Amino acid sequence: MTDHTQTLSLLLRMIRSGQSVTRPDLGRRTGLGRTVITQRVDHAIRAGLVTEGEPAPSTGGRPSRVLRMASGRGLVLGAVFGASHLHAAVTDIDGTVLADRRLARDVESGPEACAATLFEVSEELLDGGLAERLWGVCVGVPGPVDFVRGTAVRPPIMPGWHGFPFRERLEAHYEVPAWVDNDANLMALGAWNRTRARAGDNILLVKASTGIGLGVISRGRLHRGARGAAGDLGHTIVAEESRHRCRCGKFGCLEAFAGGPALVRDARAAALAGRSPFLAERLERPSVPLDVTDVVDGCLADDPVSVELVTRAGELVGAQLATLVSVLNPSTVYLAGRLAQAGEVFRRPVAEVVARRSLPLAVDELVVAEVGLDRFEGVIGAAALAVDELLRPDMLGRWLPHGDPRGTRAPRGEFDDFAEPFHLDPPSP
């Protein structure tokens, strides 16, 4: 890897992050000389990666032009599998969503069936010659992922996925570099990507749906831990002596009390006991099983039992989050997933328990809120991760001499505890 590639990667990621958008600003932030900045930026422009826009606000002298990631050349495919659905989107390398599709797909059907569904959907999204501009793919799945190998590792709700070479399957089909990550990680990355100015660089995102996952952004970087297992909030223990067995095989996990199947279990019992006419009516539907969405719908319809169940789930999630808030001191906690769609019924108990149980300084300015991205945070994060990885020095050096990443594979290197997005601390005064 050459110094040229390393500095070019640095400047591209700074431009992409929005931290530095003019040549003089790039020089001030990096300490690189004007000649080096000019050479690298000109190279990026010739390669079709960066464009110059309108003049930046003048600080005296000739105004510099604003630098942006180019649109119209490369595309990335971002997709996220939930327990029962798939959301896929095609974006430009500047992050603009060009087309997306949502559809039902049970992740328990296995990796081959899920891959076939993704291939079919992406063929529609990339119709009209767009496939020839595809530069990278990133897919999120609802389970623990070995990011280096691109495989799920003993995922509790994904039978047949353990050790399946999903990244190799994606790269063989699309003939571009591909990455696989946990869905909550990508949702956190997407939320941070679009709300950084107000959310800060230290956020937690809780995905509360069929399972309960957590994505952690620390100082502007996605934190995966030593092997990629960081954030598995749903399998922290809330009741040591519990008889409720979690799908991971252990007893007393948070998911066994507050995850989707647990809420459905308790909702069914309440309906059969005559406590909730709303849930009883949903239970009687022919060939349509009771689902966590029905409990959320009950909250929106002011069904007391549904409100009780989701409130209790919020309290349990908040209790587990409180420890993390004290340990990590985030500026923002985002709530996502189906339970977050219950609005204040879920948000309020989470926020109240976190405030009550965390250190006062840790919650002094803490914001607990819904993401507010119309459930696009997952695909936005998947696309952002693909572009971030394409611009890393080792990856950039592989494909840039050939013009684009087609035909290139993602490197199989050492595990990086803190994965990109790129973050640069401000220089010392």
Side-chain angles (χ1 to χ4, degrees):
M1 186 191 313
T2 65
D3 290 341
H4 182 101
T5 302
Q6 289 181 317
T7 55
L8 179 60
S9 171
L10 172 65
L11 299 183
L12 285 171
R13 290 182 289 157
M14 291 182 70
I15 293 168
R16 174 169 161 71
S17 73
Q19 290 184 319
S20 298
V21 294
T22 66
R23 286 176 169 84
D25 197 20
L26 289 169
R28 285 191 294 270
R29 298 279 297 187
T30 64
L32 295 172
R34 179 183 300 178
T35 300
V36 173
I37 296 291
T38 298
Q39 290 174 344
R40 303 303 185 268
V41 171
D42 287 349
H43 184 180
I45 292 173
R46 291 194 304 272
L49 298 175
V50 170
T51 60
E52 287 187 297
E54 70 281 3
S58 178
T59 57
R62 183 179 178 183
S64 299
R65 293 193 174 274
V66 173
L67 302 170
R68 294 190 179 89
M69 296 302 294
S71 61
R73 186 169 176 224
L75 303 176
V76 293
L77 173 67
V80 176
F81 284 98
S84 59
H85 71 278
L86 166 67
H87 187 196
V90 173
T91 82
D92 220 324
I93 61 170
D94 67 356
T96 302
V97 177
L98 304 178
D100 79 294
R101 173 106 183 266
R102 303 179 195 265
L103 72 161
R105 165 46 74 186
D106 191 341
V107 77
E108 292 188 1
S109 62
E112 287 288 5
C114 287
T117 300
L118 176 61
F119 298 159
E120 181 180 349
V121 169
S122 62
E123 185 176 353
E124 298 175 7
L125 294 174
L126 294 166
D127 194 19
L130 296 182
E132 298 176 0
R133 293 165 50 197
L134 186 66
W135 281 14
V137 175
C138 180
V139 179
V141 296
V145 172
D146 184 326
F147 184 73
V148 171
R149 294 176 178 82
T151 60
V153 180
R154 297 182 179 84
I157 67 171
M158 299 166 60
W161 285 78
H162 173 64
F164 182 82
F166 198 50
R167 178 166 64 179
E168 279 73 9
R169 186 82 168 86
L170 296 172
E171 290 185 333
H173 179 82
Y174 293 106
E175 298 183 336
V176 297
W179 294 270
V180 181
D181 206 344
N182 172 263
D183 60 344
N185 284 347
L186 298 180
M187 293 167 77
L189 181 55
W192 177 83
N193 187 274
R194 291 298 172 88
T195 68
R196 180 183 185 185
R198 68 172 183 272
D201 283 338
N202 296 279
I203 73 169
L204 303 179
L205 181 140
V206 179
K207 189 207 77 170
S209 197
T210 301
I212 300 176
L214 178 76
V216 180
I217 302 290
S218 178
R219 295 189 65 209
R221 294 187 176 187
L222 178 60
H223 177 62
R224 295 192 180 95
R227 287 296 309 277
D232 219 334
L233 184 67
H235 300 290
T236 55
I237 303 299
V238 299
E240 291 284 354
E241 305 300 324
S242 171
R243 294 183 179 180
H244 290 310
R245 185 167 187 158
C246 182
R247 287 178 298 176
C248 72
K250 300 180 176 63
F251 291 87
C253 292
L254 176 62
E255 276 188 20
F257 290 88
L263 292 179
V264 171
R265 175 196 67 212
D266 296 342
R268 180 185 299 274
L272 293 175
R275 294 180 52 219
S276 171
F278 178 91
L279 294 173
E281 181 180 348
R282 294 292 179 100
L283 186 62
E284 291 173 0
R285 293 172 304 185
S287 69
V288 181
L290 196 66
D291 183 76
V292 66
T293 301
D294 297 309
V295 181
V296 173
D297 289 345
C299 291
L300 301 178
D302 294 324
D303 170 55
V305 170
S306 298
V307 170
E308 174 189 328
L309 292 176
V310 173
T311 298
R312 177 58 179 159
E315 291 171 345
L316 291 170
V317 169
Q320 300 302 93
L321 264 179
T323 299
L324 295 178
V325 167
S326 291
V327 170
L328 299 175
N329 189 203
S331 53
T332 303
V333 172
Y334 279 130
L335 304 178
R338 291 189 183 180
L339 292 190
Q341 295 172 25
E344 284 296 291
V345 176
F346 184 65
R347 192 205 69 82
R348 185 181 298 111
V350 172
E352 290 177 350
V353 172
V354 167
R356 188 167 63 247
R357 295 196 177 191
S358 301
L359 290 171
L361 182 59
V363 296
D364 185 37
E365 297 181 352
L366 179 68
V367 174
V368 179
E370 296 176 56
V371 179
L373 293 175
D374 196 24
R375 296 182 294 139
F376 271 80
E377 57 272 8
V379 293
I380 290 171
L385 186 143
V387 176
D388 289 333
E389 291 291 332
L390 287 171
L391 298 182
R392 289 177 66 135
D394 55 347
M395 192 66 212
L396 191 65
R398 288 179 176 223
W399 65 263
L400 190 58
H402 309 291
D404 66 54
R406 295 192 60 78
T408 307
R409 292 197 168 199
R412 275 65 168 164
E414 294 296 323
F415 187 85
D416 185 2
D417 178 27
F418 280 98
E420 300 295 347
F422 168 75
H423 180 82
L424 180 71
D425 290 326
S428 301

Short mmCIF file of all heavy atoms in Angstrom, two decimals, residues 108 142-144 153-159 210-212 232-239 242 244-257 259 261:
data_model
loop_
_atom_site.label_atom_id
_atom_site.label_comp_id
_atom_site.label_asym_id
_atom_site.label_seq_id
_atom_site.Cartn_x
_atom_site.Cartn_y
_atom_site.Cartn_z
N GLU A 108 -35.96 -17.81 9.11
CA GLU A 108 -35.83 -19.22 9.48
C GLU A 108 -35.89 -20.14 8.26
O GLU A 108 -35.64 -21.34 8.38
CB GLU A 108 -36.92 -19.60 10.49
CG GLU A 108 -36.76 -18.94 11.85
CD GLU A 108 -37.74 -19.48 12.87
OE1 GLU A 108 -38.52 -20.39 12.52
OE2 GLU A 108 -37.72 -18.99 14.01
N PRO A 142 -30.23 -10.73 11.58
CA PRO A 142 -30.57 -10.58 13.00
C PRO A 142 -29.91 -11.63 13.90
O PRO A 142 -30.58 -12.44 14.53
CB PRO A 142 -32.09 -10.73 12.99
CG PRO A 142 -32.36 -11.69 11.87
CD PRO A 142 -31.33 -11.36 10.82
N GLY A 143 -28.59 -11.59 13.94
CA GLY A 143 -27.88 -12.53 14.80
C GLY A 143 -26.41 -12.16 14.89
O GLY A 143 -25.93 -11.27 14.18
N PRO A 144 -25.65 -12.85 15.74
CA PRO A 144 -24.22 -12.58 15.87
C PRO A 144 -23.48 -12.89 14.57
O PRO A 144 -23.74 -13.91 13.93
CB PRO A 144 -23.77 -13.54 17.00
CG PRO A 144 -25.03 -13.95 17.69
CD PRO A 144 -26.11 -13.91 16.67
N VAL A 153 -22.81 -16.64 13.43
CA VAL A 153 -22.26 -17.61 14.38
C VAL A 153 -23.31 -17.99 15.41
O VAL A 153 -23.70 -17.19 16.26
CB VAL A 153 -21.01 -17.04 15.10
CG1 VAL A 153 -20.46 -18.05 16.09
CG2 VAL A 153 -19.94 -16.64 14.09
N ARG A 154 -23.82 -19.20 15.30
CA ARG A 154 -24.84 -19.75 16.20
C ARG A 154 -25.96 -18.74 16.48
O ARG A 154 -26.28 -18.47 17.64
CB ARG A 154 -24.20 -20.22 17.51
CG ARG A 154 -23.22 -21.37 17.32
CD ARG A 154 -22.64 -21.85 18.65
NE ARG A 154 -21.73 -22.96 18.42
CZ ARG A 154 -20.45 -22.83 18.08
NH1 ARG A 154 -19.94 -21.62 17.95
NH2 ARG A 154 -19.69 -23.88 17.88
N PRO A 155 -26.59 -18.22 15.47
CA PRO A 155 -27.67 -17.24 15.68
C PRO A 155 -28.92 -17.94 16.21
O PRO A 155 -29.41 -18.90 15.61
CB PRO A 155 -27.91 -16.68 14.27
CG PRO A 155 -27.48 -17.78 13.35
CD PRO A 155 -26.36 -18.50 14.03
N PRO A 156 -29.47 -17.48 17.34
CA PRO A 156 -30.58 -18.18 17.98
C PRO A 156 -31.84 -18.29 17.13
O PRO A 156 -32.57 -19.27 17.25
CB PRO A 156 -30.85 -17.33 19.23
CG PRO A 156 -29.56 -16.64 19.51
CD PRO A 156 -28.96 -16.37 18.17
N ILE A 157 -32.13 -17.29 16.27
CA ILE A 157 -33.38 -17.33 15.51
C ILE A 157 -33.14 -17.60 14.03
O ILE A 157 -34.03 -17.38 13.20
CB ILE A 157 -34.18 -16.02 15.68
CG1 ILE A 157 -33.44 -14.83 15.04
CG2 ILE A 157 -34.48 -15.75 17.14
CD1 ILE A 157 -34.27 -13.57 15.00
N MET A 158 -31.96 -18.13 13.68
CA MET A 158 -31.62 -18.33 12.27
C MET A 158 -31.10 -19.74 12.04
O MET A 158 -29.92 -19.95 11.75
CB MET A 158 -30.58 -17.29 11.83
CG MET A 158 -31.02 -15.85 11.95
SD MET A 158 -29.63 -14.68 11.80
CE MET A 158 -29.00 -15.06 10.15
N PRO A 159 -31.95 -20.77 12.13
CA PRO A 159 -31.48 -22.15 11.91
C PRO A 159 -30.91 -22.32 10.51
O PRO A 159 -31.46 -21.83 9.52
CB PRO A 159 -32.76 -22.99 12.10
CG PRO A 159 -33.90 -22.04 11.92
CD PRO A 159 -33.41 -20.72 12.40
N THR A 210 -38.75 -8.88 17.09
CA THR A 210 -38.77 -10.30 17.43
C THR A 210 -37.65 -10.58 18.42
O THR A 210 -37.85 -11.22 19.45
CB THR A 210 -38.59 -11.16 16.16
OG1 THR A 210 -39.66 -10.86 15.26
CG2 THR A 210 -38.61 -12.63 16.51
N GLY A 211 -36.46 -10.11 18.11
CA GLY A 211 -35.35 -10.15 19.05
C GLY A 211 -35.04 -8.76 19.55
O GLY A 211 -35.68 -7.78 19.15
N ILE A 212 -34.05 -8.67 20.43
CA ILE A 212 -33.64 -7.37 20.97
C ILE A 212 -32.14 -7.23 20.75
O ILE A 212 -31.34 -7.97 21.34
CB ILE A 212 -33.99 -7.25 22.46
CG1 ILE A 212 -35.50 -7.39 22.65
CG2 ILE A 212 -33.51 -5.89 23.00
CD1 ILE A 212 -35.95 -7.38 24.09
N ASP A 232 -25.25 -7.68 22.02
CA ASP A 232 -26.32 -8.68 22.10
C ASP A 232 -27.14 -8.49 23.38
O ASP A 232 -27.14 -9.32 24.29
CB ASP A 232 -25.76 -10.09 22.03
CG ASP A 232 -26.63 -11.02 21.19
OD1 ASP A 232 -27.83 -10.73 21.08
OD2 ASP A 232 -26.11 -11.99 20.63
N LEU A 233 -27.86 -7.39 23.43
CA LEU A 233 -28.60 -7.00 24.63
C LEU A 233 -29.68 -8.01 24.99
O LEU A 233 -29.96 -8.24 26.16
CB LEU A 233 -29.24 -5.63 24.40
CG LEU A 233 -29.99 -5.00 25.57
CD1 LEU A 233 -29.02 -4.66 26.69
CD2 LEU A 233 -30.73 -3.75 25.11
N GLY A 234 -30.29 -8.62 23.98
CA GLY A 234 -31.41 -9.52 24.25
C GLY A 234 -31.05 -10.74 25.05
O GLY A 234 -31.94 -11.39 25.62
N HIS A 235 -29.76 -11.06 25.12
CA HIS A 235 -29.36 -12.26 25.85
C HIS A 235 -28.61 -11.95 27.14
O HIS A 235 -27.86 -12.78 27.65
CB HIS A 235 -28.57 -13.19 24.92
CG HIS A 235 -29.38 -13.61 23.74
ND1 HIS A 235 -30.45 -14.46 23.85
CD2 HIS A 235 -29.34 -13.21 22.44
CE1 HIS A 235 -31.01 -14.60 22.66
NE2 HIS A 235 -30.36 -13.84 21.79
N THR A 236 -28.83 -10.74 27.64
CA THR A 236 -28.42 -10.43 29.01
C THR A 236 -29.50 -10.97 29.94
O THR A 236 -30.67 -11.06 29.57
CB THR A 236 -28.25 -8.93 29.21
OG1 THR A 236 -29.47 -8.25 28.84
CG2 THR A 236 -27.12 -8.38 28.35
N ILE A 237 -29.10 -11.36 31.13
CA ILE A 237 -30.02 -12.05 32.05
C ILE A 237 -30.80 -11.05 32.90
O ILE A 237 -30.21 -10.16 33.51
CB ILE A 237 -29.25 -13.02 32.96
CG1 ILE A 237 -28.47 -14.03 32.10
CG2 ILE A 237 -30.21 -13.74 33.91
CD1 ILE A 237 -29.33 -14.88 31.20
N VAL A 238 -32.12 -11.22 32.95
CA VAL A 238 -32.96 -10.36 33.78
C VAL A 238 -33.58 -11.12 34.94
O VAL A 238 -34.06 -10.51 35.90
CB VAL A 238 -34.09 -9.70 32.94
CG1 VAL A 238 -33.49 -8.84 31.86
CG2 VAL A 238 -35.03 -10.74 32.35
N ALA A 239 -33.60 -12.46 34.88
CA ALA A 239 -34.20 -13.26 35.96
C ALA A 239 -33.45 -14.58 36.07
O ALA A 239 -33.64 -15.49 35.24
CB ALA A 239 -35.68 -13.51 35.69
N SER A 242 -35.62 -17.91 36.35
CA SER A 242 -36.77 -17.95 35.47
C SER A 242 -36.97 -19.33 34.83
O SER A 242 -36.01 -20.05 34.55
CB SER A 242 -36.60 -16.91 34.36
OG SER A 242 -37.59 -17.07 33.37
N HIS A 244 -38.72 -19.28 32.00
CA HIS A 244 -38.89 -18.91 30.59
C HIS A 244 -37.58 -19.17 29.84
O HIS A 244 -36.57 -18.52 30.09
CB HIS A 244 -39.27 -17.43 30.46
CG HIS A 244 -40.65 -17.13 30.94
ND1 HIS A 244 -41.76 -17.85 30.53
CD2 HIS A 244 -41.11 -16.19 31.79
CE1 HIS A 244 -42.84 -17.36 31.10
NE2 HIS A 244 -42.48 -16.35 31.87
N ARG A 245 -37.65 -20.11 28.92
CA ARG A 245 -36.46 -20.47 28.16
C ARG A 245 -36.38 -19.62 26.90
O ARG A 245 -37.34 -19.52 26.13
CB ARG A 245 -36.49 -21.95 27.78
CG ARG A 245 -35.22 -22.40 27.09
CD ARG A 245 -35.16 -23.90 27.00
NE ARG A 245 -33.86 -24.35 26.50
CZ ARG A 245 -33.38 -25.57 26.71
NH1 ARG A 245 -34.06 -26.44 27.43
NH2 ARG A 245 -32.21 -25.91 26.20
N CYS A 246 -35.22 -19.01 26.70
CA CYS A 246 -34.99 -18.19 25.51
C CYS A 246 -34.65 -19.10 24.33
O CYS A 246 -34.22 -20.25 24.51
CB CYS A 246 -33.85 -17.22 25.78
SG CYS A 246 -33.48 -16.09 24.41
N ARG A 247 -34.80 -18.59 23.13
CA ARG A 247 -34.48 -19.38 21.95
C ARG A 247 -32.99 -19.64 21.81
O ARG A 247 -32.57 -20.49 21.01
CB ARG A 247 -35.04 -18.71 20.70
CG ARG A 247 -36.55 -18.83 20.61
CD ARG A 247 -37.09 -18.12 19.41
NE ARG A 247 -36.83 -16.69 19.46
CZ ARG A 247 -37.15 -15.86 18.47
NH1 ARG A 247 -37.70 -16.33 17.37
NH2 ARG A 247 -36.91 -14.57 18.59
N CYS A 248 -32.17 -18.94 22.60
CA CYS A 248 -30.74 -19.23 22.60
C CYS A 248 -30.42 -20.46 23.43
O CYS A 248 -29.29 -20.95 23.42
CB CYS A 248 -29.95 -18.03 23.12
SG CYS A 248 -30.11 -17.76 24.90
N GLY A 249 -31.42 -20.98 24.15
CA GLY A 249 -31.24 -22.17 24.98
C GLY A 249 -31.06 -21.88 26.45
O GLY A 249 -31.16 -22.78 27.29
N LYS A 250 -30.82 -20.61 26.81
CA LYS A 250 -30.63 -20.24 28.21
C LYS A 250 -31.96 -19.79 28.81
O LYS A 250 -32.94 -19.57 28.10
CB LYS A 250 -29.57 -19.14 28.33
CG LYS A 250 -28.19 -19.55 27.79
CD LYS A 250 -27.20 -18.42 27.94
CE LYS A 250 -25.81 -18.85 27.50
NZ LYS A 250 -25.73 -19.22 26.07
N PHE A 251 -31.96 -19.62 30.11
CA PHE A 251 -33.16 -19.19 30.82
C PHE A 251 -32.97 -17.78 31.38
O PHE A 251 -31.88 -17.41 31.80
CB PHE A 251 -33.48 -20.15 31.98
CG PHE A 251 -33.92 -21.51 31.53
CD1 PHE A 251 -32.99 -22.50 31.26
CD2 PHE A 251 -35.27 -21.79 31.35
CE1 PHE A 251 -33.39 -23.76 30.84
CE2 PHE A 251 -35.68 -23.04 30.93
CZ PHE A 251 -34.75 -24.03 30.67
N GLY A 252 -34.05 -17.00 31.35
CA GLY A 252 -34.04 -15.69 31.98
C GLY A 252 -33.50 -14.56 31.15
O GLY A 252 -33.27 -13.46 31.66
N CYS A 253 -33.29 -14.77 29.84
CA CYS A 253 -32.80 -13.70 28.97
C CYS A 253 -33.85 -12.60 28.81
O CYS A 253 -35.05 -12.85 28.91
CB CYS A 253 -32.45 -14.24 27.58
SG CYS A 253 -31.04 -15.35 27.54
N LEU A 254 -33.37 -11.40 28.52
CA LEU A 254 -34.28 -10.28 28.28
C LEU A 254 -35.28 -10.61 27.18
O LEU A 254 -36.46 -10.29 27.29
CB LEU A 254 -33.46 -9.04 27.89
CG LEU A 254 -34.25 -7.79 27.51
CD1 LEU A 254 -35.11 -7.29 28.67
CD2 LEU A 254 -33.30 -6.68 27.03
N GLU A 255 -34.83 -11.26 26.10
CA GLU A 255 -35.74 -11.60 25.01
C GLU A 255 -36.85 -12.53 25.46
O GLU A 255 -37.96 -12.50 24.91
CB GLU A 255 -34.97 -12.24 23.86
CG GLU A 255 -34.33 -11.26 22.91
CD GLU A 255 -33.75 -11.93 21.68
OE1 GLU A 255 -34.15 -13.07 21.36
OE2 GLU A 255 -32.89 -11.30 21.04
N ALA A 256 -36.59 -13.37 26.43
CA ALA A 256 -37.60 -14.31 26.91
C ALA A 256 -38.73 -13.61 27.64
O ALA A 256 -39.79 -14.21 27.88
CB ALA A 256 -36.96 -15.35 27.82
N PHE A 257 -38.53 -12.32 27.98
CA PHE A 257 -39.56 -11.55 28.67
C PHE A 257 -40.07 -10.38 27.84
O PHE A 257 -41.22 -9.99 27.96
CB PHE A 257 -39.01 -11.01 30.00
CG PHE A 257 -38.78 -12.05 31.04
CD1 PHE A 257 -37.57 -12.72 31.10
CD2 PHE A 257 -39.78 -12.39 31.94
CE1 PHE A 257 -37.36 -13.70 32.06
CE2 PHE A 257 -39.58 -13.37 32.90
CZ PHE A 257 -38.37 -14.03 32.96
N GLY A 259 -39.01 -9.77 24.26
CA GLY A 259 -38.94 -9.93 22.82
C GLY A 259 -40.30 -10.24 22.22
O GLY A 259 -41.29 -10.50 22.93
N PRO A 261 -41.70 -12.91 20.58
CA PRO A 261 -42.38 -14.14 20.97
C PRO A 261 -42.90 -14.11 22.41
O PRO A 261 -43.96 -14.67 22.70
CB PRO A 261 -41.28 -15.20 20.81
CG PRO A 261 -40.38 -14.64 19.77
CD PRO A 261 -40.36 -13.17 20.02
#
